[in-house]
Every structure is written in structure tokens, then in C-alpha cells.
Amino acid sequence: MIEALYMFGALVVTIAFGIPIPIAVAIATLVGYFLIDIPVVALAQAMYTGVEPFPLLTVPLFVFAGALMERGGLALRIVAIAQSLIGNYMGSLGLVAVLGCTFFAALSGSGPATTAAIGAVMIPAMIRERYDPAFGGAIAASGGALGSLIPPSNLMIIYGVVSDTSIPRMFLAGVVPGLVASALLLLVTWLIARRRGYGGQTDHSFSWARVGQACWDGKWAIGAPVLILGGIYSGAFTPTEAASVAVVYAFVVGQFVHRELTRDAILSCLKTTAMISGAVLIIVGPAKAFGELLSLMDVPFLIGEFLTGFTDSSFILLLVIAAILIVTGMFLESIAQIILLTPLMLPIAVSIGIDPVVFGVIMVIACEIGFLTPPVGANLFVATRLTNLGIDRISIAVIPFLFTYVVVIVLIALFPGLALWLPNLAFGPGG
Amino acid sequence: MPSFSTVFAFLERRSEEVIAGVCVVVMASLVFFQVVMRYVFSAPTSWSDEIAVYAMLWSVYISASWAVRERAHIRVMNLINLFPGRIALGLAVLSDLVWFAFAVYLTWQSFLLHLSMWELPFESPVLGVAQKWPYLCLVVGFALMTLRLIQVYWRWARDGILPTAASEDGAIIHD
């Protein structure tokens, strides 16, 4: 146990002093190896085998597809559909942004990418209607977080790989919580916009003809989730294959149908994807070694003993675990959080009778809250860049939205059926 | 005929992104190719999976070095930046030094792993690829990372500009 404390100490100190997070995890693992005498070559081995699982390919492929969809004009058409659905209300542009994020989330597996795609269109539009820019940025950041909850979702893929949970099951489990979160975000947006008197002067009143026209113009954008999710649930493709189909679809639509993908745009999408592999997926190897070492030291069991010492109620315990995940999520990058904490926390959750799928959904929402909190909130960085405001302004403006995600966690802890209903309906209970 | 220095400058600037970009294209095409083979030609392949995974491994470790050049690695600089300027700079340099030492050490360890595979050959079950070759991505990736770290400081010494040590911007569009 004392060895594990040294490892955690090394991790905290190295991260706090600015060592890149994957390297910090590797250094903490090295400390453990030295203390209990494991040859260091095992770390090199884990860095290879960690990146070896085939389903991991889904992550860069969905990132690539999402980037191509954004640059290929699908994001714009999604916004147009959302705009046609929302009539002339107080705060209608804010509502359009949330709805646009909800739809784009069904095309994209990434929270920050959804923020970037919808925010790039909607933040300038909101500022033109004299919204407070920080409020606009907060809407895009919090709506964008839906990208990781509504399928497809890169975080759920990572969780599925680490915890050996079925990825299609995880995807379906995110649908209802995602829609609940979306509804709550719409409500908060409307309440704040009404109090501050934003919008409501546009001439876009609701008409079915307009909805029909927008849906027709956006038919290729609507086709993407139909193809991706339909393909997965009809059993036609595995999630990884669906991701490659999404890449080809996004490329063909952007290049030949919308004709908006230039050569430079494609190269920049490739660069983004490759950079994400290097800066983010590199955590997978060291985190695997770190997690295995902690399991070897029986740490998950000890933490479990410690936590169950407080209370017998699985509801309260789940909330305590969620609170821990929210706090660690503020300091860890989301993929790192899932890979590091799943092996530690999942056994505890399972031992008190929580379904791994429910735990996974809560883990993902905790990561989304992490997207919205400094110091490493990825969605905040995107919104900061899109609004040219300081991160402090947006971090404050985002607080009411952040609480909607906390509410969703509490709701799922109270009614696990919110997450389990859809996957059980599709695949039958268990498994 | 381009001069040696232009060729070198191009390689220095672009080689990692070209390799990593090609790997991404290979990954997407091979997985899609497998879908096409299964549905259109009813001839499922198994080799494409294995190659796609090798491409992912190479893209990850090669881009890890590229990310040093672009300062895109995810690091938390908030605590360091609380200190007054010179001390903050000193701490940032210190953390880069620890990183550098680690990169050297890991290059060495992955090289040992690679060498051990010459003595005890180890082949993949499907394609029979000698694993020492895909494992080379670790050696190459960490060696390049080491060189990139040296380069950052060499440029600092030459131009007097430390390429912003505090790059939280790297966290921008990741997941």
C-alpha cells in the first residue's frame, strides 16, 4: 500500500509541475516498478500492447470523420435544421445552438469537436444578436459536451475497451441521458435568455415548410447518423467498421455532394487526427501499466473497503464515486481519466451491484463536467478561442450549465433505468 | 535539384506529420476495405486488421514526437504560472529536463525490448510478422521525441525565444 501512495505522490507532483500527463503517468509507474522490483522493460512492453487493441482504432477514425463532416458543410446544415425547428422565442439562437449540438453529437464522437463545429457558426450569430459573448461561449461549450454522451462517443469506446463492456450497449445507454441533458440545457438557456431579454426579434417564425426545406437541404447530414448507428445496430458493422464507413461517407459528401472540402481542408483534418493520436492516445500505454500495477497491489480493493466503510447505501456510494470522478475529471484529461480510474473504481461499483454500463455513463458524464471546468477543460479552451475571451469569463458563465450535468448524474444514480432501458430493450438484459 | 539544406529543412518540418497522416489514411482505408470485401466480394480478410493496428501504433508514437515540436502535449501549467516569472521559467525548464531524461531512458528500454526480439523471435499469429518491426515504433518515436526536446532548447539558445512552454492550447480539439 505504501508503494501505491508513493506512486500517487509521484503522479500528483509530476502533473502539478507541468510534466505532460502521459509522461507523468509513465514516471509514476516507473516509481512503482523500482519499489517492487519489476523490470522497466515491462513499461515499454505495455506502451506497445496498450495501443494494440483493434477497437481503439475507432477513436482516431471517428475523430477524422467528425473533422471531415465539420469542414464538409454538414455542421452548417445541421444548424439550419435546428434553426427551422425553433421558432421566434426569447433566446431562440441559444436554443438553436443547444439543439444543433444535440444533432451534431449524433454525427461526432467528441465533445470538444462538437463545440468547435457548432460554436464556430453559432457564437458569432449570438454575438450579432447582442448576447453576452461569455454566455454564447458557455452554451457552445456545454452543448458540445453532449458529443460524448450521445452516440457515437469516443469516451464510451475507450471505456468499452478498458472495462470490456459492449460498445454498442454503451452507445445506446447514452441516448436517454443525452436527451435529458439536452432538454435541461435548453431549459437553462431559455431561462437565462428570458431574464436577460436576449433575442426574440428575428423574423424566422416557425413553419413546417421551412422545416421540410431545411431537412431536405440537410439530408446528407441526417443520413450520417442513420448510416453509422443503423449500421451498428442492424449488426452490419462493428463500431470500428462504422467509423471507417463514416470517414468515407463524410469524404464523399463533403467532396462530391456539398463540394466544400478543399485539399487544404482535408490535409488539416488529417493533421488534427494525427495530432490527437500523438497527444492523447499516447496515454493509453502508460495508463495500462499504471492500472495493472495498482491492481497487483490490491489498491482497488483497499479503496473499496475504505469507501464502503462510510455507508451501505449503493445510491450514496454511487454519488460519492461520482463526486470523486468529477473532482479528478477537473485535473485529468478525459481519456486519461477513463483509463486510469476505471480499473480502480469499476470493481467497487460492481461489488455494490451497479451495472458496468450505468457506471460507464456516469464516468462519461463526469468527464464532460471535466470538459467544462478549468484547468484542463477542453470545451472551455475551444470556446475561449472562438470568443476571444479569457477562460475565467467562460468558466463562470458555464456554471449553471455545468449543474445540469450534475443533475443528470444524480438522476441516473436514482433511476439507473434511464441508462439501462434502451440497451436492455435492444439486446435484452445483462451481458 | 533542391539543395541538401532545403531537403533537410523539409524533413525536419514535415516528416512526422507526413508519416502520421499516411498512417491515418492507411487505418481508415484498410478498415473500410475490409467492410467492402465482406459485403461486396463476400471475401472477409483478416490481414487488414493487423496492418491497421500497426499503422495506429506508428501514428501514435510518431505524432508524440511531432507534438513536442508543436508544443501540443497536454500539461497543466497553472501551478507553475503562479510563481513569479523567473522561477516559473526555471520550473518549466526543470519539468522539460525530467521529461527529456525520461525520453532518453525509454528510448533505451524500448531498444532493449527490440533487441530481445532478435534473440527470441516472436511472430504475429495471423500474418507471421516478426514483432520486432512494429515494436520499432517505440524506439523511433521516443528517439525522435528526445531529439525534438533538444531542438526546442537549441532554438531557445539560438533565437532567445522559448517556444511557449505553457501550451494548454494543445488540449484544444482532443477528447
Side-chain angles (χ1 to χ4, degrees):
Chain A
M1 187 61 201
I2 189 77
E3 291 92 349
L5 287 179
Y6 281 123
M7 284 171 68
F8 280 118
L11 185 65
V12 171
V13 170
T14 44
I15 289 181
F17 281 92
I19 309 262
I21 294 173
I23 308 294
V25 176
I27 291 175
T29 311
L30 275 185
V31 169
Y33 280 175
F34 285 131
L35 290 173
I36 63 172
D37 245 353
I38 292 178
V40 176
V41 86
L43 178 62
Q45 181 83 47
M47 291 190 92
Y48 185 90
T49 55
V51 191
E52 226 180 1
F54 181 75
L56 216 53
L57 272 163
T58 323
V59 175
L61 294 187
F62 268 132
V63 170
F64 191 30
L68 289 172
M69 285 178 192
E70 185 194 342
R71 303 293 293 263
L74 277 78
L76 272 175
R77 286 162 180 82
I78 292 274
V79 167
I81 297 175
Q83 203 141 30
S84 74
L85 283 171
I86 301 231
N88 188 14
Y89 295 112
M90 291 308 265
S92 51
L93 275 186
L95 302 180
V96 169
V98 175
L99 209 57
C101 286
T102 312
F103 294 157
F104 196 77
L107 275 71
S108 151
S110 148
T114 306
T115 305
I118 300 299
V121 186
M122 290 311 297
I123 291 178
M126 287 189 273
I127 294 176
R128 271 197 303 277
E129 281 216 3
R130 278 181 275 156
Y131 279 54
D132 174 9
F135 179 59
I139 294 177
S142 55
L146 293 170
S148 302
L149 190 54
I150 294 176
S153 156
N154 290 338
L155 296 183
M156 288 185 178
I157 293 161
I158 298 281
Y159 178 78
V161 171
V162 177
S163 68
D164 221 1
T165 309
S166 145
I167 292 170
R169 248 189 133 75
M170 280 305 301
F171 277 7
L172 276 188
V175 174
V176 177
L179 294 178
V180 171
S182 167
L184 290 172
L185 291 175
L186 286 170
L187 180 69
V188 172
T189 307
W190 182 71
L191 286 174
I192 296 180
R194 195 182 60 160
R195 214 187 48 196
R196 301 195 191 164
Y198 290 142
Q201 298 101 15
T202 49
D203 52 352
H204 304 300
S205 47
F206 181 87
S207 85
W208 283 109
R210 227 175 130 239
V211 174
Q213 184 61 42
C215 287
W216 179 251
D217 290 342
K219 57 187 178 297
W220 293 99
I222 300 174
V226 172
L227 180 70
I228 298 168
L229 300 174
I232 296 176
Y233 293 108
S234 65
F237 321 125
T238 64
T240 315
E241 291 170 346
S244 78
V245 173
V247 169
V248 174
Y249 182 87
F251 173 74
V252 170
V253 171
Q255 180 82 7
F256 301 110
V257 183
H258 295 161
R259 296 171 190 274
E260 287 174 32
L261 272 181
T262 57
R263 203 184 57 125
D264 283 351
I266 297 173
L267 285 181
S268 114
C269 295
L270 261 179
K271 270 190 175 180
T272 311
T273 313
M275 187 55 92
I276 286 167
S277 307
V280 177
L281 280 185
I282 188 181
I283 182 83
V284 178
K288 180 175 182 249
F290 187 84
E292 283 172 353
L293 196 51
L294 289 183
S295 299
L296 195 71
M297 295 170 174
D298 257 349
V299 175
F301 175 75
L302 293 170
I303 297 180
E305 291 255 285
F306 177 73
L307 287 179
T308 44
F310 287 121
T311 169
D312 296 328
S313 150
S314 71
F315 168 69
I316 296 185
L317 207 53
L318 193 54
L319 287 188
V320 172
I321 292 178
I324 296 174
L325 293 179
I326 290 172
V327 173
T328 51
M330 293 169 69
F331 297 96
L332 282 174
E333 188 276 325
S334 51
I335 289 184
Q337 150 112 339
I338 291 180
I339 305 179
L340 286 174
L341 290 175
T342 301
L344 283 181
M345 297 296 206
L346 180 61
I348 304 167
V350 169
S351 75
I352 55 170
I354 292 159
D355 192 297
V357 171
V358 173
F359 178 79
V361 172
I362 289 183
M363 171 71 98
V364 167
I365 302 177
C367 289
E368 293 184 322
I369 296 173
F371 280 156
L372 301 175
T373 47
V376 286
N379 288 17
L380 289 183
F381 290 121
V382 178
T384 310
R385 215 176 36 164
L386 291 172
T387 51
N388 289 322
L389 293 174
I391 193 162
D392 45 340
R393 292 269 327 268
I394 298 184
S395 321
I396 292 169
V398 89
I399 291 173
F401 297 100
L402 204 147
F403 274 104
T404 66
Y405 286 101
V406 177
V407 169
V408 176
I409 289 191
V410 175
L411 284 175
I412 295 174
L414 273 174
F415 311 109
L418 280 178
L420 287 175
W421 172 71
L422 205 52
N424 283 352
L425 196 69
F427 301 110
Chain B
M1 182 73 195
S3 70
F4 172 75
S5 63
T6 28
V7 172
F8 180 79
F10 177 80
L11 287 179
E12 186 278 316
R13 249 171 73 76
R14 300 281 179 208
S15 47
E16 290 132 315
E17 54 189 283
V18 169
I19 296 173
V22 167
C23 284
V24 172
V25 172
V26 167
M27 281 147 57
S29 331
L30 281 179
V31 178
F32 187 71
F33 169 77
Q34 191 193 28
V35 178
V36 172
M37 286 306 279
R38 196 172 68 225
Y39 282 103
V40 183
F41 300 99
S42 311
T45 56
S46 48
W47 56 268
S48 52
D49 282 12
E50 191 176 320
I51 309 271
V53 168
Y54 295 150
M56 173 165 63
L57 278 153
W58 279 85
S59 85
V60 167
Y61 287 102
I62 297 290
S63 331
S65 151
W66 178 34
V68 175
R69 181 181 195 279
E70 307 285 323
R71 300 308 266 180
H73 278 287
I74 298 160
R75 49 202 312 198
V76 180
M77 303 303 281
N78 304 58
L79 182 71
I80 288 190
N81 289 338
L82 289 180
F83 289 93
R86 296 193 70 117
I87 300 178
L89 183 63
L91 287 172
V93 172
L94 181 69
S95 94
D96 277 355
L97 262 178
V98 173
W99 183 5
F100 171 77
F102 175 83
V104 172
Y105 187 61
L106 221 70
T107 311
W108 173 239
Q109 289 297 328
S110 7
F111 183 64
L112 290 181
L113 184 65
H114 174 76
L115 277 188
S116 74
M117 288 179 175
W118 285 87
E119 278 157 32
L120 281 170
F122 159 40
E123 294 181 350
S124 67
V126 178
L127 286 183
V129 173
Q131 291 296 290
K132 55 180 178 276
W133 300 118
Y135 267 80
L136 207 54
C137 68
L138 295 176
V139 186
V140 176
F142 283 108
L144 285 176
M145 181 187 274
T146 310
L147 292 177
R148 286 291 186 197
L149 282 164
I150 295 175
Q151 185 190 35
V152 168
Y153 280 85
W154 180 69
R155 288 198 168 152
W156 185 24
R158 194 191 56 185
D159 307 332
I161 315 157
L162 183 63
T164 47
S167 167
E168 284 149 314
D169 247 28
I172 278 192
I173 309 188
H174 66 78
D175 210 342

